[in-house]
Coordinates of all heavy atoms in Angstrom, one line a residue:
M48 N 0.8 -1.2 0.0 CA 0.0 0.0 0.0 C 0.9 1.2 0.0 O 1.9 1.3 0.6 CB -0.9 0.0 1.2 CG -2.0 -1.1 1.2 SD -3.0 -1.0 2.7 CE -4.1 0.3 2.2
F49 N 0.4 2.3 -0.6 CA 1.1 3.5 -0.7 C 0.8 4.4 0.5 O -0.2 4.1 1.2 CB 0.8 4.3 -2.0 CG 1.3 3.5 -3.2 CD1 0.4 2.9 -4.1 CD2 2.6 3.4 -3.5 CE1 0.8 2.2 -5.2 CE2 3.1 2.8 -4.6 CZ 2.2 2.1 -5.4
L50 N 1.6 5.4 0.7 CA 1.4 6.3 1.8 C 0.0 7.0 1.8 O -0.6 7.1 2.9 CB 2.5 7.4 1.8 CG 2.5 8.4 3.0 CD1 2.6 7.7 4.3 CD2 3.5 9.4 2.8
D51 N -0.5 7.4 0.7 CA -1.8 8.1 0.6 C -2.9 7.2 1.0 O -3.9 7.6 1.7 CB -2.0 8.7 -0.8 CG -2.0 7.6 -1.9 OD1 -1.4 6.6 -1.7 OD2 -2.6 7.9 -2.9
Q52 N -2.8 5.9 0.8 CA -3.8 4.9 1.2 C -3.8 4.8 2.7 O -4.8 4.7 3.3 CB -3.6 3.6 0.5 CG -3.9 3.6 -1.0 CD -3.5 2.4 -1.7 OE1 -2.6 1.7 -1.3 NE2 -4.2 2.1 -2.8
W53 N -2.6 4.7 3.3 CA -2.5 4.6 4.8 C -3.1 5.9 5.4 O -3.7 5.8 6.5 CB -1.1 4.4 5.2 CG -0.6 3.0 5.0 CD1 0.3 2.6 4.0 CD2 -1.0 1.9 5.7 NE1 0.4 1.3 4.1 CE2 -0.3 0.8 5.2 CE3 -1.8 1.7 6.8 CZ2 -0.4 -0.5 5.7 CZ3 -1.9 0.4 7.3 CH2 -1.3 -0.7 6.8
I54 N -2.9 7.0 4.8 CA -3.4 8.3 5.4 C -4.9 8.3 5.3 O -5.6 8.7 6.3 CB -2.8 9.5 4.7 CG1 -1.3 9.6 5.0 CG2 -3.5 10.8 5.0 CD1 -0.5 10.7 4.3
M55 N -5.5 7.8 4.2 CA -6.9 7.7 4.1 C -7.5 6.8 5.1 O -8.6 7.0 5.7 CB -7.3 7.2 2.7 CG -7.0 8.3 1.6 SD -8.1 9.7 1.8 CE -7.8 10.4 0.2
I56 N -6.9 5.6 5.3 CA -7.4 4.7 6.3 C -7.3 5.3 7.7 O -8.2 5.1 8.5 CB -6.6 3.3 6.2 CG1 -6.9 2.6 4.9 CG2 -6.8 2.4 7.4 CD1 -6.0 1.4 4.6
L57 N -6.2 5.9 8.0 CA -6.0 6.6 9.3 C -7.1 7.7 9.5 O -7.7 7.8 10.6 CB -4.6 7.2 9.4 CG -4.3 7.9 10.7 CD1 -4.3 6.9 11.9 CD2 -2.9 8.6 10.6
A58 N -7.3 8.5 8.5 CA -8.3 9.5 8.6 C -9.7 8.9 8.8 O -10.5 9.5 9.6 CB -8.3 10.4 7.4
Y59 N -10.0 7.8 8.2 CA -11.3 7.2 8.3 C -11.5 6.7 9.7 O -12.5 7.0 10.4 CB -11.4 6.0 7.3 CG -12.7 5.2 7.5 CD1 -13.9 5.6 7.0 CD2 -12.6 4.0 8.2 CE1 -15.0 4.8 7.2 CE2 -13.8 3.2 8.4 CZ -15.0 3.6 7.9 OH -16.1 2.9 8.1
Y60 N -10.6 6.0 10.3 CA -10.7 5.5 11.6 C -10.6 6.6 12.7 O -11.4 6.5 13.7 CB -9.7 4.4 11.9 CG -10.1 3.1 11.2 CD1 -9.3 2.6 10.2 CD2 -11.2 2.4 11.5 CE1 -9.6 1.4 9.5 CE2 -11.6 1.2 10.9 CZ -10.7 0.7 9.9 OH -11.1 -0.4 9.2
A61 N -9.8 7.6 12.5 CA -9.7 8.7 13.4 C -11.1 9.5 13.4 O -11.6 9.8 14.5 CB -8.6 9.6 13.1
G62 N -11.6 9.7 12.3 CA -12.9 10.3 12.2 C -14.0 9.5 12.9 O -14.9 10.1 13.6
L63 N -14.0 8.2 12.7 CA -15.0 7.4 13.3 C -14.9 7.4 14.8 O -15.9 7.4 15.5 CB -14.8 5.9 12.8 CG -15.9 5.0 13.1 CD1 -17.3 5.4 12.6 CD2 -15.6 3.6 12.5
I64 N -13.7 7.3 15.3 CA -13.5 7.4 16.8 C -13.9 8.7 17.3 O -14.6 8.8 18.4 CB -12.0 7.1 17.1 CG1 -11.6 5.7 16.8 CG2 -11.7 7.5 18.6 CD1 -10.1 5.4 16.9
V65 N -13.6 9.8 16.7 CA -14.1 11.1 17.1 C -15.6 11.2 17.1 O -16.2 11.8 18.0 CB -13.5 12.2 16.2 CG1 -14.1 13.6 16.4 CG2 -12.0 12.3 16.5
G66 N -16.2 10.6 16.1 CA -17.7 10.6 16.0 C -18.4 9.8 17.1 O -19.3 10.3 17.7
V67 N -17.8 8.7 17.4 CA -18.4 7.9 18.5 C -18.2 8.6 19.8 O -19.1 8.6 20.7 CB -17.7 6.5 18.5 CG1 -18.1 5.7 19.8 CG2 -18.1 5.7 17.3
F68 N -17.0 9.2 20.0 CA -16.8 10.0 21.3 C -17.8 11.1 21.4 O -18.4 11.3 22.5 CB -15.4 10.5 21.3 CG -15.1 11.4 22.5 CD1 -15.0 10.9 23.7 CD2 -15.1 12.8 22.3 CE1 -14.8 11.8 24.8 CE2 -14.9 13.7 23.3 CZ -14.7 13.1 24.6
A69 N -18.0 11.8 20.3 CA -19.0 13.0 20.4 C -20.4 12.5 20.7 O -21.1 13.1 21.5 CB -19.0 13.7 19.1
F70 N -20.8 11.4 20.1 CA -22.2 10.8 20.3 C -22.3 10.4 21.7 O -23.3 10.7 22.4 CB -22.5 9.7 19.3 CG -23.8 9.1 19.5 CD1 -25.0 9.8 19.1 CD2 -24.0 7.9 20.1 CE1 -26.2 9.3 19.3 CE2 -25.3 7.4 20.3 CZ -26.4 8.1 19.9
V71 N -21.3 9.7 22.2 CA -21.4 9.2 23.6 C -21.4 10.4 24.6 O -22.1 10.3 25.6 CB -20.2 8.2 23.9 CG1 -20.1 7.9 25.4 CG2 -20.4 6.9 23.1
H72 N -20.6 11.4 24.3 CA -20.6 12.5 25.2 C -21.9 13.3 25.2 O -22.4 13.7 26.2 CB -19.5 13.5 24.8 CG -19.3 14.7 25.7 ND1 -20.0 15.8 25.6 CD2 -18.5 14.8 26.8 CE1 -19.7 16.6 26.6 NE2 -18.8 16.1 27.3
A73 N -22.5 13.4 24.0 CA -23.8 14.1 23.9 C -24.9 13.2 24.6 O -25.8 13.8 25.2 CB -24.2 14.2 22.4
L74 N -24.8 11.9 24.6 CA -25.7 11.0 25.2 C -25.6 11.1 26.7 O -26.6 11.0 27.5 CB -25.5 9.6 24.8 CG -26.5 8.5 25.2 CD1 -27.8 8.9 24.6 CD2 -26.0 7.2 24.7
S75 N -24.4 11.3 27.3 CA -24.2 11.3 28.7 C -24.4 12.6 29.4 O -24.4 12.7 30.6 CB -22.7 10.8 29.0 OG -21.8 11.8 28.5
Q76 N -24.8 13.7 28.7 CA -25.0 15.0 29.3 C -26.5 15.1 29.7 O -27.3 14.5 29.1 CB -24.6 16.1 28.3 CG -23.1 16.1 27.9 CD -22.2 16.1 29.1 OE1 -22.2 17.0 29.9 NE2 -21.3 15.1 29.2
R77 N -26.7 16.0 30.7 CA -28.1 16.3 31.1 C -28.8 17.1 30.1 O -28.2 17.9 29.4 CB -28.1 17.0 32.4 CG -27.5 16.3 33.6 CD -27.6 17.0 34.9 NE -27.9 18.4 34.8 CZ -27.1 19.4 35.4 NH1 -26.1 19.0 36.1 NH2 -27.4 20.7 35.2
A78 N -30.1 16.9 29.9 CA -30.9 17.6 28.9 C -31.0 19.0 29.2 O -31.0 19.9 28.3 CB -32.3 16.9 28.8
D79 N -31.1 19.4 30.5 CA -31.2 20.8 30.8 C -30.0 21.6 30.6 O -30.0 22.8 30.5 CB -31.7 21.0 32.3 CG -30.8 20.4 33.3 OD1 -30.0 19.5 32.9 OD2 -30.9 20.8 34.5
A80 N -28.8 20.9 30.5 CA -27.6 21.6 30.3 C -27.5 22.2 28.9 O -26.9 23.3 28.7 CB -26.4 20.7 30.5
Y81 N -28.2 21.6 28.0 CA -28.2 22.1 26.6 C -28.9 23.4 26.5 O -28.5 24.4 25.9 CB -28.8 21.1 25.6 CG -27.9 19.9 25.4 CD1 -28.0 18.8 26.2 CD2 -27.0 19.9 24.3 CE1 -27.2 17.7 25.9 CE2 -26.2 18.8 24.1 CZ -26.3 17.7 24.9 OH -25.5 16.6 24.7
T82 N -30.1 23.5 27.2 CA -30.8 24.8 27.2 C -30.2 25.8 28.0 O -30.2 27.0 27.7 CB -32.3 24.5 27.7 OG1 -32.2 23.9 29.0 CG2 -33.0 23.6 26.7
A83 N -29.5 25.4 29.1 CA -28.8 26.4 29.9 C -27.6 27.0 29.2 O -27.2 28.1 29.4 CB -28.3 25.8 31.2
A84 N -27.0 26.2 28.3 CA -25.9 26.6 27.5 C -26.3 27.4 26.2 O -25.5 27.8 25.4 CB -25.0 25.4 27.1
E85 N -27.6 27.5 26.1 CA -28.2 28.2 24.9 C -27.8 27.6 23.6 O -27.4 28.3 22.6 CB -27.9 29.7 25.0 CG -28.4 30.4 26.2 CD -28.0 31.9 26.3 OE1 -27.1 32.3 25.4 OE2 -28.5 32.6 27.1
R86 N -27.9 26.3 23.6 CA -27.6 25.5 22.3 C -28.9 24.8 22.0 O -29.9 24.8 22.7 CB -26.5 24.6 22.5 CG -25.1 25.2 22.9 CD -24.7 26.1 21.7 NE -23.4 26.7 21.9 CZ -23.1 27.9 22.2 NH1 -24.1 28.8 22.5 NH2 -21.9 28.3 22.3
L87 N -28.9 24.0 20.9 CA -30.0 23.2 20.5 C -30.3 22.2 21.6 O -29.5 21.9 22.5 CB -29.7 22.5 19.2 CG -29.6 23.3 18.0 CD1 -29.2 22.4 16.8 CD2 -30.9 24.0 17.7
T88 N -31.4 21.5 21.5 CA -31.8 20.5 22.6 C -31.0 19.3 22.5 O -30.3 19.0 21.5 CB -33.3 20.2 22.4 OG1 -33.5 19.5 21.2 CG2 -34.2 21.4 22.6
K89 N -31.1 18.5 23.5 CA -30.3 17.2 23.6 C -30.7 16.3 22.4 O -29.8 15.7 21.8 CB -30.5 16.5 24.9 CG -29.7 15.2 25.0 CD -29.8 14.6 26.4 CE -29.0 13.4 26.5 NZ -28.9 12.8 27.8
P90 N -32.0 16.1 22.2 CA -32.4 15.2 21.0 C -31.8 15.7 19.7 O -31.4 14.9 18.8 CB -33.9 15.2 21.0 CG -34.3 15.5 22.4 CD -33.2 16.4 22.9
A91 N -31.8 17.0 19.5 CA -31.3 17.6 18.3 C -29.8 17.2 18.1 O -29.3 16.8 17.1 CB -31.5 19.1 18.2
W92 N -29.0 17.4 19.2 CA -27.6 17.1 19.1 C -27.3 15.6 19.0 O -26.3 15.2 18.4 CB -26.8 17.8 20.3 CG -26.6 19.2 20.0 CD1 -27.1 20.3 20.6 CD2 -25.7 19.7 18.9 NE1 -26.7 21.4 20.0 CE2 -25.8 21.1 19.0 CE3 -24.9 19.2 18.0 CZ2 -25.1 22.0 18.1 CZ3 -24.2 20.0 17.1 CH2 -24.3 21.4 17.2
L93 N -28.2 14.8 19.6 CA -28.0 13.4 19.5 C -28.3 13.0 18.0 O -27.6 12.1 17.5 CB -29.0 12.6 20.4 CG -28.6 12.6 21.9 CD1 -29.7 11.9 22.7 CD2 -27.3 11.9 22.1
G94 N -29.2 13.6 17.4 CA -29.5 13.3 16.0 C -28.3 13.8 15.1 O -27.9 13.1 14.2
I95 N -27.8 15.0 15.4 CA -26.7 15.5 14.6 C -25.4 14.7 14.8 O -24.8 14.3 13.8 CB -26.4 17.0 15.0 CG1 -27.6 17.9 14.6 CG2 -25.1 17.5 14.4 CD1 -27.5 19.3 15.1
T96 N -25.1 14.4 16.0 CA -23.8 13.6 16.2 C -24.0 12.1 15.8 O -23.1 11.5 15.2 CB -23.4 13.6 17.7 OG1 -24.4 13.2 18.5 CG2 -22.9 15.0 18.0
G97 N -25.2 11.6 16.0 CA -25.5 10.2 15.5 C -25.5 10.1 14.0 O -25.0 9.2 13.4
G98 N -26.1 11.1 13.4 CA -26.1 11.1 11.9 C -24.7 11.3 11.3 O -24.4 10.7 10.3
G99 N -24.0 12.2 12.0 CA -22.6 12.4 11.5 C -21.8 11.2 11.7 O -21.0 10.8 10.8
T100 N -21.9 10.5 12.8 CA -21.2 9.3 13.1 C -21.6 8.2 12.1 O -20.7 7.4 11.6 CB -21.4 8.8 14.5 OG1 -21.0 9.8 15.4 CG2 -20.6 7.5 14.8
F101 N -22.9 8.1 11.8 CA -23.3 7.1 10.8 C -22.7 7.4 9.4 O -22.3 6.5 8.7 CB -24.9 7.1 10.7 CG -25.4 6.1 9.8 CD1 -25.3 4.8 10.1 CD2 -26.0 6.5 8.6 CE1 -25.8 3.8 9.2 CE2 -26.5 5.5 7.7 CZ -26.5 4.2 8.1
A102 N -22.7 8.7 9.0 CA -22.1 9.1 7.8 C -20.6 8.8 7.7 O -20.0 8.3 6.7 CB -22.3 10.6 7.5
L103 N -19.9 8.9 8.9 CA -18.5 8.6 9.0 C -18.3 7.1 8.8 O -17.3 6.6 8.3 CB -17.9 9.1 10.3 CG -17.8 10.6 10.4 CD1 -17.4 11.0 11.9 CD2 -16.8 11.1 9.4
L104 N -19.2 6.3 9.3 CA -19.1 4.9 9.3 C -19.5 4.4 7.8 O -18.8 3.5 7.3 CB -20.1 4.2 10.3 CG -20.2 2.7 10.3 CD1 -18.8 2.1 10.8 CD2 -21.3 2.3 11.2
L105 N -20.4 5.0 7.2 CA -21.0 4.5 6.0 C -20.1 4.9 4.8 O -19.9 4.1 3.8 CB -22.4 5.0 5.7 CG -23.2 4.4 4.6 CD1 -23.4 2.9 4.9 CD2 -24.5 5.1 4.6
F106 N -19.5 6.1 4.8 CA -18.8 6.6 3.6 C -17.3 6.7 4.0 O -16.9 6.6 5.1 CB -19.3 7.9 3.2 CG -20.7 7.9 2.8 CD1 -21.7 8.4 3.7 CD2 -21.1 7.4 1.6 CE1 -23.0 8.4 3.3 CE2 -22.5 7.4 1.2 CZ -23.4 7.9 2.1
S107 N -16.5 6.9 3.0 CA -15.0 7.1 3.2 C -14.6 8.3 2.3 O -15.3 8.7 1.4 CB -14.2 5.9 3.0 OG -14.3 5.5 1.6
L108 N -13.3 8.7 2.6 CA -12.8 9.8 1.8 C -12.5 9.5 0.4 O -12.5 10.3 -0.5 CB -11.5 10.4 2.5 CG -11.7 11.4 3.5 CD1 -10.4 11.7 4.2 CD2 -12.3 12.7 2.9
N109 N -12.2 8.2 0.1 CA -11.8 7.8 -1.3 C -13.0 7.2 -2.0 O -12.8 6.3 -2.9 CB -10.6 7.0 -1.3 CG -10.8 5.8 -0.4 OD1 -11.8 5.6 0.2 ND2 -9.8 4.9 -0.3
S110 N -14.2 7.5 -1.7 CA -15.4 7.0 -2.4 C -16.2 8.1 -3.0 O -15.9 9.3 -2.8 CB -16.2 6.1 -1.5 OG -16.9 7.0 -0.5
A111 N -17.3 7.8 -3.7 CA -18.2 8.8 -4.3 C -18.9 9.6 -3.2 O -19.4 10.7 -3.4 CB -19.2 8.1 -5.2
G112 N -19.0 9.0 -2.0 CA -19.7 9.7 -0.9 C -18.8 10.5 0.0 O -19.1 10.7 1.2
A113 N -17.6 10.9 -0.5 CA -16.7 11.7 0.3 C -17.3 13.0 0.9 O -17.0 13.4 2.0 CB -15.4 12.0 -0.5
M114 N -18.2 13.6 0.1 CA -18.9 14.8 0.6 C -19.7 14.5 1.9 O -19.7 15.3 2.8 CB -19.8 15.3 -0.5 CG -20.5 16.6 -0.1 SD -21.6 17.2 -1.4 CE -22.8 16.0 -1.6
F115 N -20.4 13.4 1.9 CA -21.1 13.0 3.1 C -20.2 12.7 4.3 O -20.6 13.0 5.4 CB -22.0 11.8 2.8 CG -23.0 12.1 1.7 CD1 -23.0 11.5 0.5 CD2 -24.1 13.0 1.9 CE1 -23.9 11.8 -0.5 CE2 -25.0 13.3 0.9 CZ -24.9 12.7 -0.3
W116 N -19.1 12.1 4.0 CA -18.1 11.8 5.1 C -17.6 13.1 5.7 O -17.6 13.3 6.9 CB -16.9 11.0 4.5 CG -16.0 10.5 5.6 CD1 -16.1 9.4 6.3 CD2 -14.8 11.2 6.1 NE1 -15.1 9.3 7.2 CE2 -14.3 10.4 7.1 CE3 -14.2 12.4 5.8 CZ2 -13.2 10.7 7.8 CZ3 -13.1 12.8 6.5 CH2 -12.6 11.9 7.5
L117 N -17.3 14.1 4.8 CA -16.8 15.4 5.3 C -17.9 16.1 6.0 O -17.7 16.8 7.0 CB -16.3 16.3 4.1 CG -15.0 15.8 3.5 CD1 -14.7 16.6 2.3 CD2 -13.9 16.0 4.6
A118 N -19.2 16.0 5.6 CA -20.3 16.7 6.3 C -20.5 16.1 7.6 O -20.7 16.8 8.6 CB -21.6 16.6 5.4
G119 N -20.4 14.8 7.7 CA -20.5 14.1 9.0 C -19.3 14.5 10.0 O -19.6 14.8 11.2
L120 N -18.1 14.7 9.4 CA -17.0 15.1 10.2 C -17.2 16.5 10.7 O -16.9 16.8 11.9 CB -15.7 15.0 9.5 CG -14.4 15.3 10.2 CD1 -14.2 14.3 11.4 CD2 -13.2 15.3 9.3
V121 N -17.7 17.4 9.9 CA -17.9 18.8 10.3 C -19.0 18.8 11.4 O -18.8 19.6 12.4 CB -18.3 19.6 9.1 CG1 -18.9 21.0 9.5 CG2 -17.2 19.8 8.1
A122 N -20.1 18.1 11.2 CA -21.1 18.1 12.3 C -20.6 17.6 13.6 O -20.9 18.2 14.6 CB -22.3 17.1 11.8
V123 N -19.8 16.6 13.6 CA -19.2 16.1 14.9 C -18.2 17.1 15.5 O -18.2 17.3 16.7 CB -18.6 14.7 14.6 CG1 -17.7 14.3 15.7 CG2 -19.6 13.7 14.3
L124 N -17.4 17.7 14.6 CA -16.4 18.6 15.1 C -17.1 19.9 15.6 O -16.6 20.5 16.6 CB -15.4 19.0 14.0 CG -14.4 17.8 13.7 CD1 -13.5 18.3 12.5 CD2 -13.6 17.4 14.9
V125 N -18.2 20.3 15.0 CA -18.9 21.5 15.6 C -19.4 21.2 17.0 O -19.3 22.1 17.9 CB -20.1 21.9 14.7 CG1 -21.1 22.8 15.4 CG2 -19.6 22.5 13.4
Y126 N -19.9 20.0 17.2 CA -20.3 19.6 18.6 C -19.1 19.7 19.5 O -19.2 20.2 20.6 CB -20.9 18.2 18.6 CG -21.3 17.8 20.0 CD1 -22.4 18.2 20.6 CD2 -20.4 17.0 20.7 CE1 -22.7 17.9 21.9 CE2 -20.7 16.6 22.0 CZ -21.8 17.1 22.6 OH -22.1 16.7 23.9
L127 N -18.0 19.1 19.1 CA -16.8 19.0 20.0 C -16.2 20.4 20.3 O -15.7 20.6 21.4 CB -15.8 18.1 19.4 CG -16.2 16.6 19.4 CD1 -15.1 15.8 18.8 CD2 -16.4 16.1 20.9
V128 N -16.2 21.3 19.3 CA -15.5 22.5 19.4 C -16.4 23.6 20.0 O -16.0 24.5 20.8 CB -15.0 23.0 18.1 CG1 -14.4 24.4 18.1 CG2 -13.9 22.0 17.6
D129 N -17.7 23.6 19.7 CA -18.6 24.6 20.2 C -19.5 24.2 21.4 O -19.6 24.9 22.4 CB -19.5 25.1 19.0 CG -20.4 26.2 19.4 OD1 -20.0 27.1 20.1 OD2 -21.6 26.2 19.0
V130 N -20.2 23.1 21.2 CA -21.2 22.7 22.2 C -20.6 22.1 23.5 O -20.9 22.5 24.6 CB -22.2 21.8 21.6 CG1 -23.3 21.3 22.6 CG2 -22.9 22.4 20.4
R131 N -19.6 21.2 23.3 CA -19.1 20.5 24.4 C -18.4 21.4 25.5 O -18.7 21.3 26.7 CB -18.0 19.4 23.9 CG -17.4 18.6 25.0 CD -16.5 17.6 24.4 NE -15.8 16.8 25.5 CZ -14.6 17.1 25.9 NH1 -13.9 18.2 25.4 NH2 -14.1 16.4 26.9
P132 N -17.6 22.4 25.0 CA -17.0 23.3 26.1 C -18.1 24.1 26.8 O -18.0 24.3 28.0 CB -16.1 24.2 25.3 CG -15.8 23.5 24.0 CD -17.0 22.7 23.7
R133 N -19.2 24.5 26.1 CA -20.2 25.2 26.8 C -21.0 24.3 27.8 O -21.3 24.8 28.9 CB -21.2 25.8 25.8 CG -20.7 27.0 25.0 CD -20.6 28.3 25.8 NE -21.9 28.7 26.1 CZ -22.2 29.4 27.1 NH1 -21.3 29.8 28.0 NH2 -23.5 29.8 27.4
L134 N -21.2 23.1 27.4 CA -21.9 22.2 28.4 C -21.0 21.9 29.6 O -21.5 21.9 30.7 CB -22.1 20.8 27.7 CG -23.2 20.8 26.6 CD1 -23.2 19.5 25.9 CD2 -24.5 21.2 27.1
I135 N -19.7 21.8 29.4 CA -18.8 21.6 30.6 C -18.8 22.8 31.4 O -18.9 22.7 32.7 CB -17.4 21.2 30.1 CG1 -17.4 19.8 29.4 CG2 -16.4 21.2 31.2 CD1 -16.2 19.4 28.7
E136 N -18.8 24.0 30.8 CA -18.8 25.2 31.6 C -20.0 25.4 32.4 O -20.0 25.8 33.5 CB -18.6 26.4 30.6 CG -18.6 27.7 31.3 CD -18.4 28.9 30.3 OE1 -17.8 28.7 29.2 OE2 -19.0 30.0 30.6
V137 N -21.2 25.1 31.8 CA -22.5 25.3 32.5 C -22.6 24.3 33.6 O -23.1 24.6 34.7 CB -23.6 25.1 31.5 CG1 -24.9 24.8 32.2 CG2 -23.7 26.3 30.5
Q138 N -22.2 23.1 33.4 CA -22.3 22.1 34.5 C -21.3 22.2 35.6 O -21.6 21.9 36.7 CB -22.2 20.7 33.9 CG -23.4 20.3 33.0 CD -23.3 19.0 32.4 OE1 -22.5 18.1 32.8 NE2 -24.1 18.7 31.3
R139 N -20.1 22.7 35.3 CA -19.1 22.9 36.3 C -19.2 24.2 37.0 O -18.8 24.3 38.2 CB -17.7 22.8 35.6 CG -16.6 22.9 36.6 CD -15.2 22.8 36.0 NE -15.2 21.8 34.9 CZ -14.2 21.7 34.1 NH1 -13.2 22.5 34.1 NH2 -14.2 20.8 33.2
G140 N -19.7 25.2 36.3 CA -19.8 26.5 37.0 C -18.6 27.4 36.7 O -17.6 26.9 36.0
P141 N -18.5 28.6 37.2 CA -17.4 29.4 36.9 C -16.1 28.8 37.6 O -16.2 28.2 38.7 CB -17.8 30.8 37.5 CG -18.9 30.5 38.4 CD -19.6 29.3 37.9
R142 N -15.0 29.1 37.1 CA -13.7 28.6 37.6 C -13.2 29.4 38.9 O -12.3 29.0 39.5 CB -12.7 28.5 36.6 CG -12.9 27.5 35.5 CD -11.7 27.4 34.7 NE -11.8 26.2 33.9 CZ -11.1 25.1 34.0 NH1 -10.1 25.1 34.8 NH2 -11.3 24.1 33.2
W143 N -13.8 30.5 39.2 CA -13.4 31.3 40.2 C -13.8 30.7 41.5 O -14.5 30.8 42.3 CB -13.8 32.7 40.1 CG -13.3 33.3 38.8 CD1 -13.5 32.8 37.5 CD2 -12.5 34.4 38.6 NE1 -12.9 33.5 36.6 CE2 -12.2 34.5 37.2 CE3 -11.9 35.3 39.4 CZ2 -11.5 35.5 36.7 CZ3 -11.1 36.3 38.9 CH2 -10.9 36.4 37.6

């Protein structure tokens, strides 16, 4: 196998692991924390992260569905970068 194939395989599995982590994290948070953080509801984020993870599982970067794989990755990363820190902040309280 060539280096580019190894990179594609690594990206596929890394994306899948990130997607599963985001879905499990969204599942384990309290429902009222989402509204307190002024984000979408828990069922909405479960649908977004679950759908994103399903797209990451179903498609790959080197297939015709690469656009869906990228869309799933973006959805999962938006949760991890935007929603997850706000949920942690709301549930933990101020650091002072």
